[in-house]
Structure formats: structure tokens, C-alpha cells
Amino acid sequence: MDQRLTMADHRPPRNPDHKTERPSDPLGPELRQLKGGRAFPPGFDPRAIARRARRRRHALRGGVLGVSGLALLWVLYDPGLTADYSAPVGSIERITLPDGTVAQLDSGASMSWSESESERRIRLHAGIAVFETAGRSGRDLVVVTEAVEARPVGTVFAVSADGTGWSALVQSGRVRVTLPAAGTGAGASALIGPGEAASVDDADARLETSAIDVERALAWREGVLDFKNAPLAEVIEALDRYRPGRVLLLNERAAAKRFDGVLSLDDVDRSLQIVAESSGLQLLTNWPMLVILR
């Protein structure tokens, strides 16, 4: 008993105002938040839970940054987003350029304008555009796509930056079509006149010319699409240009079927229904941004 009392005498006196300092929580603020004042069940590893929580937050931040990066790349990749002139999907726009040339842009088409002391230049980013040139200004007019350059001589002509089967066609006058300076067939050119078209052969990048029904090719200017013995895949692709979203044909055998007819662009969904019924296709879905035919 005396020994125990002696040991007690050496204990530091209690100070009612003194608070015992607890060691810092090794679990950190994240674990304290997860713990929420409740004890973890036996065998639970709270540190592992915190690590997973941190990984989820990092993954979320990375996902947000990734989506932002993709959006930025899309803007940089698609020059049509910063084009000077464009036609919304489903609309046809008629524009007068600074030199007086009149351009009619098909659905989804976009282009940019620039000029210098020696030439007036139009860069067609996407779609089809018809040009009615103004009087001669002493400076060449050139319309450029990734595939060709077209230089008109007092004419009405069209240029396509899409896979329409032709790159330039002439309604009146003449157009000099030239392949770009870079690539296979560089510098090759052809002079085409009324009722003629120029196209680039994908196999060897060779410039070819052929006769074309200009009125049928440019029927969209009148609000219709005019097809004669056209592959069904070509018809679906053409209608797809005038409807937001995508129109998909999931029937390879039907893609080669032939179609004759005039389809109105006033109601593209009705035109798609006509194509489906006349070709023995089933319209699986007709949603605002997706149509599926099979």
C-alpha cells in the first residue's frame, strides 16, 4: 500500500483547464468524413475506402477534362464551325458575296471567303454550293476544296466537297478544274463546259470528266431530290444530308437496289417512309436524331 501511495505522489497534478492533446488523426480528413462518427465494422480497412474515394474524384476530374479536350479538338478539327457562311441542316441558304457573286448553299454546306490583290478565294469546307459569278473584276475567282480547285470564266457552276460522285459541274460558261499542287496527279487540270462534270478517281487520284444531268444534280435548289435508277444507298445518303442526326440503312442487299422518283425536302421523314415502302424496307426507328431502315 505504501508503495502505491508513493507512486501516486509522483503523478503530475491535474489541471482542470488543461486538455489532453490527442495525436493527429492518421486517417486524414477524408477518412473522418467517411467515418462519420461511427465505428467501422471489424475487418474493414478505412484507408482503402479513402483511397477509392480519391481515385473516384480523380477519375471524375479526368473525365471532365477529357470531354473538354475532345470538344476543343472537334472545334479545331472542323473548320466549318468557324466558316464565314453556312447552311443549317435542312435549310438552303442564298448568299451574296462581297464581290457580287451569288452562292446558294445546300443543307449542311459551309464556306469561307478571302481576297487579295490578285484573286478572290472561296474555301468550301463541306457540302455543295452553286455559284453565279459576278462581272469580271480583273481578279480570278477560285473555289477550293480538299480535292480540287475550280476557276470559272463568267459562269454558273457548282462545287462539291462531299462524296457526291462529282467535284465540280457546269450549268453555263466554263470552269477550269485543277488538282491541288500536293499529292498524286498534282497540277492535272481539265476545262469543262455546260452539262459536264469533273471528278477525282479515288484509286489513283486521277481527274476525270463526264456528262451529267445538271438539272437533276441540282434539283435540291427547287426543294426536291430527283433520282433516276439511283442505288438505294445513294438515296438514303442524300436524304441524310437534310435531316439532323443520322439515317442508317442496315441492309446490305437492299443498298444496291435501284430507285426512281422525286422526293420532297419539305418533309424528309415522309420521303424516307416513301423510300422504305417502295423498296420493301422496314422503318425500325424514326427518332429525332436517328432513323434506322432494314
Side-chain angles (χ1 to χ4, degrees), residues 79-80 82-87 95-97 101-105 108-113 122-126 129-131 143-144:
T82 57
D84 296 326
Y85 309 98
S86 62
I95 298 162
T96 301
L97 298 174
T101 295
V102 176
Q104 195 168 11
L105 300 182
S110 61
M111 67 182 189
S112 297
W113 165 268
I122 298 168
R123 165 68 70 173
L124 184 62
H125 302 297
V130 177
F131 301 95
V143 181
V144 180

Side-chain angles (χ1 to χ4, degrees), residues 48-69:
I49 297 175
R51 286 195 295 271
R52 285 197 293 271
R54 284 195 294 269
R55 283 198 295 268
R56 289 192 191 100
R57 285 200 300 276
H58 293 159
L60 179 60
R61 292 194 196 104
V64 172
L65 291 174
V67 171
S68 301

